[in-house]
Amino acid sequence: ATLLLYKIKKWQYVFYKHVILHGLNITICLEPQRNPNHDDNHQTSRTASWRIFWISLNAAYVMEFFLQSLVKRRILSQPTMMLLNQWLMIVSSVAALQSVLQVVHWPACAASLMLNFVHRKHDVLNTLLVAILFLTGTVVTATAD
């Protein structure tokens, strides 16, 4: 069960890196520059699902280190920490499904993921390339604009 949890957590991180960190940031930051007619009335950050997602993402960072330190000091048991991590993974995944997946530019995420495997250990350059592709329209949307 612990090995499965770590595998899920690894792929959750891959999802986080390419969909949320790169894809979502590129989408939200650069959409107005790429498409001057872009209407930004949806205001993603004001929705309840986005706020739940954002707080759970930040809690995941804090809990990862804080709970490990509690386990090391024998204040918290390893099984209890794993249970808390499982709940946090469920909550943050559901929140991501409700908020992020509707907003993100999927071709930019896919380009980021592909570059991660093809051009390893060059995160800054890879992200810059994805942003340039997004701005120039080389990475196009699946729907008609």
Side-chain angles (χ1 to χ4, degrees):
T2 302
L3 182 61
L4 177 63
L5 180 64
Y6 283 120
K7 285 185 179 190
I8 292 170
K9 197 165 192 141
K10 177 189 181 219
W11 286 103
Q12 192 177 35
Y13 172 76
V14 170
F15 172 83
Y16 159 76
K17 180 179 179 182
H18 298 290
V19 175
I20 297 165
L21 184 62
H22 297 165
L24 185 64
N25 285 333
I26 288 170
T27 301
I28 289 179
C29 292
L30 299 181
E31 180 63 25
Q33 284 78 22
R34 186 175 75 92
N35 181 2
N37 298 324
H38 173 72
D39 181 18
D40 196 25
N41 288 331
H42 62 278
Q43 298 192 8
T44 302
S45 63
R46 294 181 186 252
T47 64
S49 59
W50 174 265
R51 291 176 182 200
I52 291 169
F53 162 73
W54 191 248
I55 194 72
S56 63
L57 177 66
N58 286 285
Y61 277 119
V62 172
M63 285 181 68
E64 184 71 29
F65 299 105
F66 179 68
L67 292 178
Q68 276 297 340
S69 66
L70 292 178
V71 169
K72 287 179 184 176
R73 293 180 181 168
R74 301 187 201 292
I75 296 170
L76 185 67
S77 70
Q78 183 77 17
T80 302
M81 184 206 69
M82 297 301 281
L83 181 66
L84 291 171
N85 270 332
Q86 288 172 354
W87 276 105
L88 184 60
M89 288 171 64
I90 291 169
V91 169
S92 61
S93 296
V94 169
L97 288 171
Q98 293 178 342
S99 63
V100 175
L101 302 183
Q102 299 160 4
V103 178
V104 75
H105 185 266
W106 285 103
C109 301
S112 175
L113 180 64
M114 183 212 49
L115 284 172
N116 183 68
F117 291 115
V118 174
H119 197 230
R120 297 186 67 75
K121 299 184 180 182
H122 294 93
D123 282 349
V124 174
L125 181 58
N126 290 347
T127 306
L128 177 63
L129 288 172
V130 172
I132 289 169
L133 291 172
F134 181 81
L135 276 173
T136 61
T138 306
V139 178
V140 294
T141 58
T143 59
D145 287 334

